[in-house]
Amino acid sequence: MQVELAARSASQPGKAEDTPPPSPAAAAASAAEDAPLLPDGRVRRRAGCGRFAQRSGSFRHEVGRAAAETFLLTRLTLILLRYLGIGYRWIRQFLALCCYTLLLMPGFIQVVYYYFFSSQVHRSVVYGDQPRNRLDLYIPTSTTGLKPVVAFVTGGAWIIGYKGWGALLGRRLAERGIIVACIDYRNFPQGTIGDMVEDASQGISFVCNNIASYGGDPGRIYLVGQSAGAHISACTLINQAIKECGEGDTSSWSVSQIKAYFGISGGYNLLNLVDHFHRRGLYRSIFLSIMEGEESLQKFSPHVMIKESSASQAFVDTLQQHGVKADLFLYEGKTHTDLFLQDPLRGGRDKMLEEIASVIHSEDPDASAQHLAVPVARRLVPEFMLKLAGRVSPF
């Protein structure tokens, strides 16, 4: 599904005279390079030693952060297990998820290698104060001109979402000359839906205001969400639109900066999904806790919000009734994850990615020509394993 919004050009990046002064560490290294010999004749320490110390300090910092995140994840997992109890539904779904992951592992290993070792990936760029306020950037190899930008909010049933899940999408779109920013956000039980929407809003704000420094075009920003991420990003857009209709809004981004929204396999009316998720192992009590209580289901249902606030086939119809240009794309025979995982891992021509890229490049004929020249993606997982994964998928 694509929802096109009015576009507004953002400010261009600063001029050369706005370049920030060097960091204290860089200044100290420069001063050391020019320093004379010590009075007692000893040779001063080389600047390379300082750089080594900086690298060592950076490594220790990364290890410390990884340890802290591991501790946090373990604590949150234990809290989540207390919520889940020993119900057979979620255990069955968890086992299905394990089988699903194992079947797709040949492809996942290659994507993980790309994620950690490709120079095109800038991991864990900080956009806010919360521990999960990080995003990954996927930068095209070509540095000619400003690139269109996709801000992507990944799925994960509001519980297991993680920015790294967007690595495959980021890679494929970067090959087509598009910068991708995969936005992380707090999951339950670390946060509830209000926290997730707040994090997504801050991530979008960072992209709108800083992407030019990474070679992105602030006048061509597109929002994409998948599964729970489609729900979160839709709520974020509508909340922002409602804020802008009021007085005294001081937010640092506007819905007019988003050229179009693509919602992939999202849910937009939570009132109709409570029983469905309960049957799938996301029990009613947990789902209502994530959504901040039954009374908040309407507040976080984009379909209902648009109907009631005047500020999806039913969702698309509702958008169109309120003057929004909306298109619905249906892919026959596809499961919840086919479009996002199995099809890209299958290689060859990816219809959904091609349609997204064609919309993004439609206003730039040169970029469109570059997009059409992209080589066909190679297969990452054998077909029989993809079909088995589709059969056991818990989604």
Side-chain angles (χ1 to χ4, degrees), residues 16 24 47 60 63 75 83-84 105 107 116 123 136 152 171-172 238 241 246 261 264 275 283 329 370 392:
R60 286 194 298 269
V63 171
R75 183 170 63 86
Y83 273 97
L84 290 170
M105 190 58 67
F116 282 104
R123 299 187 307 278
D136 295 330
F152 176 65
R171 179 179 183 175
R172 293 290 184 248
I238 296 170
Y261 162 65
I264 305 171
D275 292 336
Y283 300 129
F329 297 89
Q370 178 189 14
V392 303

Side-chain angles (χ1 to χ4, degrees), residues 109-388:
I109 291 173
Q110 298 175 69
V111 174
V112 167
Y113 182 86
Y114 166 82
Y115 178 73
F116 282 104
F117 295 102
S118 173
S119 60
Q120 293 176 253
V121 184
H122 296 196
R123 299 187 307 278
S124 296
V125 177
V126 178
Y127 71 79
D129 298 330
Q130 296 295 326
R132 294 291 296 273
N133 287 172
R134 306 287 188 272
L135 58 82
D136 295 330
L137 290 170
Y138 297 81
I139 311 295
T141 54
S142 171
T143 57
T144 305
L146 294 176
K147 308 297 182 185
V149 182
V150 161
F152 176 65
V153 184
T154 188
W158 304 276
I159 294 175
I160 58 172
Y162 180 61
K163 56 188 175 60
W165 301 164
L168 189 54
L169 178 75
R171 179 179 183 175
R172 293 290 184 248
L173 290 181
E175 291 173 348
R176 290 160 173 77
I178 301 168
I179 293 178
V180 180
C182 292
I183 299 170
D184 210 1
Y185 55 89
R186 283 169 283 180
N187 289 177
F188 183 81
Q190 188 179 17
T192 57
I193 184 62
D195 301 313
M196 301 175 201
V197 170
E198 178 184 347
D199 289 350
S201 181
Q202 287 190 46
I204 294 169
S205 174
F206 178 91
V207 172
C208 289
N209 292 291
N210 297 278
I211 201 62
S213 62
Y214 295 93
D217 186 349
R220 288 189 294 161
I221 298 175
Y222 301 80
L223 181 62
V224 178
Q226 189 265 338
S227 190
H231 167 252
I232 292 168
S233 52
C235 287
T236 303
L237 274 179
I238 296 170
N239 282 345
Q240 183 62 27
I242 293 173
K243 286 181 182 178
E244 293 177 20
C245 291
E247 297 181 359
D249 179 57
T250 58
S251 62
S252 56
W253 71 283
S254 169
V255 292
S256 63
Q257 293 175 269
I258 307 299
K259 296 280 288 183
Y261 162 65
F262 301 86
I264 305 171
S265 306
Y268 306 104
N269 190 341
L270 301 184
L271 296 170
N272 297 335
L273 292 174
V274 178
D275 292 336
H276 168 76
F277 287 129
H278 182 80
R279 292 191 298 269
R280 304 284 291 182
L282 185 56
Y283 300 129
R284 181 183 182 90
S285 59
I286 301 175
F287 184 70
L288 294 180
S289 296
I290 295 172
M291 298 304 159
E292 302 176 0
E294 191 166 4
E295 66 280 359
S296 296
L297 290 180
Q298 295 191 32
K299 176 183 175 183
F300 292 108
S301 293
H303 181 191
V304 179
M305 292 165 70
I306 292 173
K307 269 189 171 180
E308 296 184 352
S309 65
S310 297
S312 29
Q313 183 68 50
F315 184 46
V316 170
D317 292 341
T318 302
L319 289 169
Q320 291 173 339
Q321 290 168 10
H322 286 76
V324 178
K325 181 181 178 182
D327 297 317
L328 177 66
F329 297 89
L330 298 176
Y331 298 86
E332 186 176 353
K334 299 295 183 182
T335 67
H336 185 69
T337 57
D338 270 329
L339 298 173
F340 182 68
L341 283 178
Q342 286 98 299
D343 284 354
L345 291 173
R346 185 170 276 115
R349 182 174 179 270
D350 190 317
K351 187 176 181 181
M352 186 194 72
L353 277 180
E354 297 296 339
E355 288 176 340
I356 291 176
S358 66
V359 172
I360 293 175
H361 286 312
S362 61
E363 298 182 8
D364 187 344
D366 294 335
S368 179
Q370 178 189 14
H371 146 67
L372 293 175
V374 172
V376 177
R378 64 185 181 86
R379 177 183 290 276
L380 300 181
V381 177
E383 183 64 23
F384 80 94
M385 296 179 73
L386 290 170
K387 290 183 177 179
L388 281 175

